[in-house]
Amino acid sequence: MLQTPATATRRFQLILIKPSHYGNDGYVIRWARSIIPSNSLAAVYGIAAECADQRVLGPDTEIDIDAMDETNTRIDVPGLVKRLAEHNNFGLVALVGVQSNQYPRALDLARRFRDAGVQVAMGGFHVSGCLAMLDGHAVDLDACRDLGVAMFTGEAEGRFDTILSDAAQGRLKPVYDYMNDLPGIEGTPAPFLPKRYVERTVGHSTSFDAGRGCPYQCSFCTIINVQGRKSRYRSADDVERLVRMNWEQGIHKFFITDDNFARNREWESIFDRLIKLREEDGIPLGLMIQVDTLCHKIDGFVEKAKRAGVTRVFIGLENVNPDNLIAAKKRQNKITEYRKMLLAWKAEGIITLAGYILGFPGDTPETIRRDIAILQEELPLDIVEFFNLTPLPGSEDHKVLWEKGVDMDPDLNAYDLHHVVTDHERMSRDEWLAIYHEAWRLYYTPEHMKRLLRRAAATGVPITSLVKLLVQFETTIRLEDVHPLESGILRLRHPDERRPGLPRESAFVFWPRLAWDTVRTHVLFGAAIARCAFWAMRIARDPASKDYTDTALTPVADEDDLALYSATTGGAQAVAHSKKVAELTARG
């Protein structure tokens, strides 16, 4: 909590909660240490802290702020209700950054607080996306109205004081709609979380957005309809300020959450500033960024990323079939550039992670198996993250299906990209889900994991870091039945956190089974670590490891004869188009 002078007469209790969602067993997905930091929580905390500093509720009112990410923190509702009651319910519970799959859990939390007379507000991609794309009542939004939960749409910079003031006066509005008035973010409060919260993530990493918005039109994306297609940016000064704030508390690892940092017009000034902080001021920055498949064509981008401290880069590869990419309006992805782009990152020793979507119109179990083999043999990727094509509320895909009355799973908890929620023209839902689970087993075979480690040794990729990622992505679905991006260290469950409507389990059943599952999972996880570490050690000690090469590591040549280019009609057309453009460019 923020420290409060003794002269204050009132203390407004602001409780920020980033909800998790329910696993297949009905229990909240929660860990002792989670993998991914919540930028939404950090952004709202930074804004709220400024409101507290500025005494927006009056000179005699302090704002006590607490931030809870449910993926790594148990939400003690009775304890929080008691704390609020001690202050005559002078406060607000804000459910922050709620995604569609988190909406059912958010409602369950909200219901318990509202039953105790506590004021609750909710924001995030679900309410913002639904109000932006649908009729304002679709996708269970009326549940918020029925509970008396205020819905906040848009972004909180410059507006959060309004909702705090209304809450302090006990007159929250049903909706705060700022979707058509997205603010600039330069000079605004930096996303920030105190160290005690950051320490609940693996590696003590935090996050910030250097920009918001995206100019592209991918039909499966919600970002363009929530953050807009007009890009907005933080300045290099803003970024330096937030880096120094975190470094003062010993935090130096960041996930830059821009959907595509390569299209941030301030990328170079930000990288230059980060390079100065690393090379001159001695701040040992470690960064992960997200980029598109054409980032390597920006002069100096990859090289400066390395100097700025980028150790991992996530690429929205999505698919190797151009027909599928066109169907999803992902026209900016050019398969003829995939290897060049990936080799550029390899040359800098940076780990590459790629998102890969299953369930595009042209997909079948057979084509998916074929395409995974292409990924393994012809593209120098390290980590592939598989997702199911999901009509997320707030996306164009969802709006089209909703307007046509197409059957979609009514349970929003399943909209986590890990489940199948609608029909496919060429696969049943069961077939689709089966090939999704098979995809993880096909890619993360022992043979391919060894090949990835050999590539790492040959190209200077940190092999220890790669081992950690390989084990995480190979084991999470198999052992925990959650997507690796929702994973963490030591899965935690509590009887009170089971989804309403499911039976409450006896303590004599719940706790012994939890103990057994925990021991079993960690023995198997430990065995996977030992196995992969053994492979890595043998490969690293091999004198010939630096000489290893394969098709994926071979420099790109015009005469390349790859399945990537010939296995699909779209691939052959993409190659022909690329050659035609090259010829015309040479003539011109």
Side-chain angles (χ1 to χ4, degrees):
M1 296 182 185
L2 300 179
Q3 296 301 309
T4 307
T7 55
T9 58
R10 298 196 303 170
R11 301 174 68 90
F12 184 87
Q13 304 302 298
L14 177 60
I15 300 168
L16 308 176
I17 299 175
K18 169 67 173 174
S20 180
H21 79 116
Y22 298 106
N24 287 337
D25 59 2
Y27 290 99
V28 168
I29 298 173
R30 180 167 58 87
W31 310 85
R33 295 289 182 271
S34 57
I35 292 289
I36 304 295
S38 171
N39 188 64
S40 298
L41 192 62
V44 176
Y45 186 97
I47 295 166
E50 182 182 67
C51 290
D53 289 342
Q54 294 179 350
R55 300 288 183 93
V56 298
L57 298 183
D60 63 340
T61 303
E62 294 289 341
I63 302 176
D64 296 336
I65 310 172
D66 204 355
M68 303 176 185
D69 183 345
E70 196 178 23
T71 64
N72 56 42
T73 304
R74 182 167 178 247
I75 308 302
D76 178 11
V77 175
L80 293 172
V81 166
K82 180 180 178 181
R83 170 177 146 192
L84 284 157
E86 291 171 350
H87 293 271
N88 298 315
N89 281 351
F90 184 56
L92 173 69
V93 171
L95 297 163
V96 173
V98 178
Q99 300 170 8
S100 292
N101 68 89
Q102 298 161 347
Y103 186 64
R105 174 59 179 170
L107 287 176
D108 290 340
L109 288 170
R111 187 173 294 106
R112 295 174 68 185
F113 284 113
R114 292 297 297 139
D115 287 346
V118 175
Q119 298 181 104
V120 179
M122 184 188 301
F125 270 67
H126 183 72
V127 295
S128 293
C130 290
L131 286 171
M133 299 293 285
L134 304 177
D135 67 0
H137 294 274
V139 201
D140 208 22
L141 290 185
D142 282 337
C144 277
R145 297 183 175 93
D146 294 343
L147 288 173
V149 173
M151 290 183 284
F152 186 98
T153 71
E155 297 170 6
E157 284 84 359
R159 289 82 183 261
F160 202 62
D161 57 336
T162 299
I163 196 169
L164 290 178
S165 178
D166 286 355
Q169 297 177 54
R171 52 177 178 81
L172 281 177
K173 299 175 184 176
V175 179
Y176 293 81
D177 187 356
Y178 296 104
M179 282 301 301
N180 295 320
D181 186 21
L182 297 176
I185 59 173
E186 183 176 355
T188 61
F192 179 78
L193 285 173
K195 186 175 183 178
R196 64 183 180 277
Y197 302 122
V198 178
E199 287 177 334
R200 295 172 184 168
T201 62
V202 175
H204 296 178
S205 61
T206 189
S207 62
F208 67 89
D209 48 1
R212 296 178 192 163
C214 179
Y216 296 127
Q217 298 181 339
C218 308
S219 64
F220 54 80
C221 182
T222 60
I223 289 174
I224 54 178
N225 301 314
V226 174
Q227 295 185 343
R229 290 193 172 96
K230 180 181 179 181
S231 299
R232 295 159 288 136
Y233 312 98
R234 299 190 193 276
S235 68
D237 288 341
D238 294 335
V239 173
E240 177 178 353
R241 184 162 50 251
L242 70 87
V243 168
R244 290 191 180 279
M245 286 171 59
N246 279 281
W247 180 235
E248 287 178 1
Q249 57 176 0
I251 305 300
H252 58 92
K253 295 180 182 179
F254 299 91
F255 175 24
I256 303 180
T257 63
D258 296 34
D259 189 54
N260 186 357
F261 186 72
R263 301 303 148 190
N264 186 320
R265 72 182 182 194
E266 300 295 328
W267 73 264
E268 189 163 26
S269 63
I270 291 172
F271 272 167
D272 286 342
R273 191 67 58 87
L274 294 173
I275 289 169
K276 178 181 180 296
L277 292 173
R278 286 188 78 233
E279 297 180 353
E280 297 182 19
D281 295 0
I283 300 177
L285 291 171
L287 309 175
M288 179 174 174
I289 60 172
Q290 302 183 97
V291 297
D292 60 26
T293 60
L294 297 177
C295 59
H296 64 297
K297 298 176 77 71
I298 303 172
D299 187 37
F301 182 85
V302 175
E303 295 78 11
K304 286 198 172 185
K306 173 68 173 181
R307 291 182 60 197
V310 172
T311 59
R312 300 178 183 179
V313 57
F314 176 86
I315 302 146
L317 202 74
E318 317 305 13
N319 211 264
V320 296
N321 186 341
D323 294 334
N324 284 337
L325 296 170
I326 291 171
K329 297 185 179 180
K330 189 86 177 183
R331 297 180 179 88
Q332 67 270 24
N333 277 23
K334 311 296 182 185
I335 68 164
T336 51
E337 295 292 333
Y338 281 4
R339 283 178 66 229
K340 295 177 185 176
M341 176 269 299
L342 292 167
L343 287 171
W345 291 111
K346 271 280 181 285
E348 298 295 336
I350 292 173
I351 293 176
T352 54
L353 304 92
Y356 197 88
I357 297 176
L358 306 179
F360 283 119
D363 283 341
T364 67
E366 293 74 23
T367 64
I368 289 171
R369 294 185 188 104
R370 177 202 66 198
D371 294 345
I372 289 173
I374 292 173
L375 289 173
Q376 291 174 314
E377 297 169 12
E378 298 183 357
L379 294 178
L381 275 166
D382 296 312
I383 301 297
V384 175
E385 304 172 6
F386 295 104
F387 303 97
N388 285 314
L389 184 63
T390 303
L392 294 171
S395 70
E396 179 185 340
D397 284 352
H398 181 272
K399 182 178 182 179
V400 169
L401 295 181
W402 182 77
E403 289 178 340
K404 290 181 177 179
V406 174
D407 179 58
M408 292 182 282
D409 194 326
D411 183 8
L412 290 170
N413 191 72
Y415 286 67
D416 56 1
L417 314 184
H418 179 58
H419 292 82
V420 173
V421 300
T422 192
D423 294 329
H424 190 276
E425 293 180 3
R426 306 178 70 183
M427 297 182 284
S428 69
R429 294 194 191 190
D430 288 343
E431 289 174 328
W432 184 355
L433 187 60
I435 191 60
Y436 165 75
H437 283 277
E438 184 182 342
W440 293 96
R441 298 193 301 271
L442 287 173
Y443 187 81
Y444 293 100
T445 62
E447 293 74 18
H448 188 56
M449 291 168 70
K450 292 175 188 177
R451 176 161 46 184
L452 294 173
L453 293 169
R454 291 189 186 99
R455 289 176 185 169
T459 57
V461 167
I463 199 164
T464 301
S465 295
L466 182 57
V467 166
K468 295 176 183 177
L469 287 171
L470 287 173
V471 172
Q472 174 194 348
F473 281 84
E474 187 272 329
T475 62
T476 300
I477 288 182
R478 175 166 61 88
L479 300 181
E480 298 285 3
D481 197 20
V482 299
H483 195 280
L485 294 187
E486 290 189 301
S487 66
I489 303 298
L490 184 58
R491 177 74 187 274
L492 301 176
R493 294 174 176 86
H494 192 278
D496 291 341
E497 293 176 336
R498 199 167 205 203
R499 191 173 187 180
L502 295 179
R504 176 73 177 267
E505 294 184 302
S506 163
F508 297 104
V509 173
F510 177 84
W511 293 111
R513 189 184 66 240
L514 178 61
W516 166 249
D517 287 346
T518 300
V519 171
R520 173 185 171 275
T521 297
H522 284 79
V523 168
L524 294 174
F525 185 70
I529 293 175
R531 183 172 63 249
C532 197
F534 176 72
W535 296 338
M537 182 179 65
R538 289 191 62 183
I539 290 168
R541 290 181 177 180
D542 184 353
S545 63
K546 296 294 183 184
D547 300 324
Y548 174 82
T549 190
D550 58 21
T551 300
L553 294 182
T554 304
V556 176
D558 291 338
E559 64 274 12
D560 280 343
D561 181 18
L562 302 176
L564 174 67
Y565 302 151
S566 61
T568 65
T569 303
Q573 292 174 346
V575 173
H577 177 74
S578 178
K579 290 182 177 179
K580 185 66 174 179
V581 170
E583 290 174 6
L584 293 174
T585 304
R587 291 175 190 170

